[in-house]
Amino acid sequence: MEKNVLNTDLTGKVAVVTGASGTLCSIFAKALARAGAKVALLGRNMDKLKELADEIEAEGGIAKGYTCNVMNKANCLQVAEDVLADLGLREQN
């Protein structure tokens, strides 16, 4: 894995990056993963999100892509539930 340019430890944290299929946010998502965060990648292009998640995981990070329209509240709420379930954040009963 490349250097942690954020100079902080985000192990055990989850970062949600909107626009992750774009150039700038994909670079930021990689930086968060290198700092130890599990990264939820939100965007409109699942192919690009899958490619980015694969790159992050190839470096030893944890990432998963989600298609999301941030202008649609119902869609955002559903994606939030999916992120909680997929990344192990939902409290166990």
Side-chain angles (χ1 to χ4, degrees):
M1 184 171 285
E2 291 188 30
K3 181 182 177 191
N4 175 3
V5 296
L6 297 178
N7 198 28
T8 190
D9 183 9
L10 298 177
T11 302
K13 306 289 184 189
V14 173
V16 177
V17 179
T18 59
S21 58
T23 301
L24 183 60
C25 291
S26 65
I27 292 168
F28 187 57
K30 288 179 183 180
L32 290 165
R34 290 174 186 142
K38 297 177 184 178
V39 185
L41 308 166
L42 279 60
R44 294 181 290 172
N45 186 321
M46 183 50 91
D47 291 336
K48 288 183 179 180
L49 296 171
K50 173 75 171 115
E51 183 179 328
L52 177 58
D54 289 346
E55 289 174 16
I56 289 171
E57 290 182 351
E59 289 188 17
I62 298 172
K64 182 163 180 173
Y66 302 86
T67 54
C68 184
N69 177 354
V70 297
M71 300 300 289
N72 181 316
K73 181 179 178 179
N75 182 228
C76 289
L77 292 172
Q78 181 58 58
V79 170
E81 287 295 319
D82 293 344
V83 169
L84 290 172
D86 292 345
L87 297 179
L89 300 172
R90 184 166 288 137
E91 288 186 22
Q92 301 296 325
N93 293 329

